[in-house]
Amino acid sequence: MAADRPGRTEKTRAALVAAGRKLFCEHPIDAVAIDDIVREAGVAKGSFYNHFTDREALARAVTALIRADVEHAVDTANMGVEDSARRMVRALCVYLRYAVDDPQGAGVIIRFHAGNAPEAPLNRGVVSDVTAGLASGRFALASMESGLIFVIGVVQAAFVQVAGDPNLAHAVTLAQQIGALELRGLGVPPPEAESLAARAADEIVRQGAFRVADSA
């Protein structure tokens, strides 16, 4: 019996995380009761408190897992890619392909958006790439902060659009258009911006390279 306990504990936690993932995608956190979570998970209410202090702790765990998976996919897609412009548009395409593959997970990210703070863990990659692009002259921006706000706004808007309509053809088209817009806004010449966006949209969104499920 004792040997089985770790396995049961892991299964219970996984069931709670899966339930939170579903419910937090569909409802604001304040509208989700502990009773709703354990009912969805199919576990006893007391089991919840063996793993999480409250629903906010569960929400943090759910979002951290999803964001870590997506960021790992972005890191994999950009491994060995040094050009800040290519890195930026490839990251956008990873997010849009994720919204196609997992609208529920995308819904959780949207509901628990990290905001524009440079110190937010989810924004560190953007900060790094914008900073590098400015230092190299690849990007023409007034400041890192303005670039960060611009990129996050563009990616978030496209991400919400695809999560609401997770159609692959739609996502590919949007990746091409928004990717080019993003790069042009950062100061990349229009013909190059369109070329880089089209290539990334085809490889990452259409073909599904660097999918979250494959990289996790």
Side-chain angles (χ1 to χ4, degrees):
M1 295 289 289
D4 294 335
R5 186 172 297 279
R8 290 201 303 271
T9 298
E10 291 170 6
K11 288 181 180 179
T12 298
R13 183 182 177 87
L16 289 167
V17 169
R21 202 178 195 275
K22 178 178 185 295
L23 294 171
F24 295 140
C25 170
E26 297 172 350
H27 310 286
I29 189 170
D30 291 344
V32 178
I34 300 297
D35 287 340
D36 298 328
I37 296 167
V38 296
R39 186 183 306 112
E40 179 68 30
V43 302
K45 187 171 184 177
S47 298
F48 178 91
Y49 295 102
N50 291 331
H51 298 275
F52 303 101
T53 55
D54 51 32
R55 63 189 173 187
E56 286 77 12
L58 174 60
R60 288 193 296 271
V62 170
T63 53
L65 286 171
I66 294 172
R67 287 171 175 167
D69 285 346
V70 179
E71 285 302 294
H72 180 65
V74 171
D75 289 343
T76 302
N78 281 334
M79 189 176 298
V81 178
E82 297 184 0
D83 178 40
S84 301
R86 286 188 65 207
R87 290 178 62 86
M88 200 69 73
V89 75
R90 287 167 72 83
L92 164 69
C93 287
V94 169
Y95 270 84
L96 297 192
R97 179 65 201 220
Y98 176 67
V100 171
D101 291 337
D102 190 352
Q104 185 184 89
V108 173
I109 291 179
I110 291 166
R111 193 171 291 280
F112 297 98
H113 176 43
N116 300 328
E119 66 273 13
L122 194 63
N123 296 338
R124 286 174 186 163
V126 180
V127 170
S128 176
D129 288 335
V130 170
T131 301
L134 280 169
S136 67
R138 187 66 160 127
F139 298 155
L141 299 165
S143 66
M144 184 281 290
E145 183 181 19
S146 64
L148 175 66
I149 293 171
F150 169 68
V151 170
I152 289 176
V154 168
V155 174
Q156 180 76 359
F159 192 61
V160 169
Q161 189 72 17
V162 175
D165 178 19
N167 175 277
L168 181 57
H170 170 242
V172 171
T173 299
L174 199 63
Q176 293 171 339
Q177 296 172 346
I178 298 300
L181 175 66
E182 176 189 40
L183 293 180
R184 289 174 65 178
L186 291 170
V188 177
E192 185 185 8
E194 292 171 8
S195 175
L196 290 176
R199 180 179 173 184
D202 181 66
E203 179 183 0
I204 298 175
V205 184
R206 188 193 307 279
Q207 297 181 36
F210 312 110
R211 295 170 68 180
V212 172
D214 296 334
S215 65

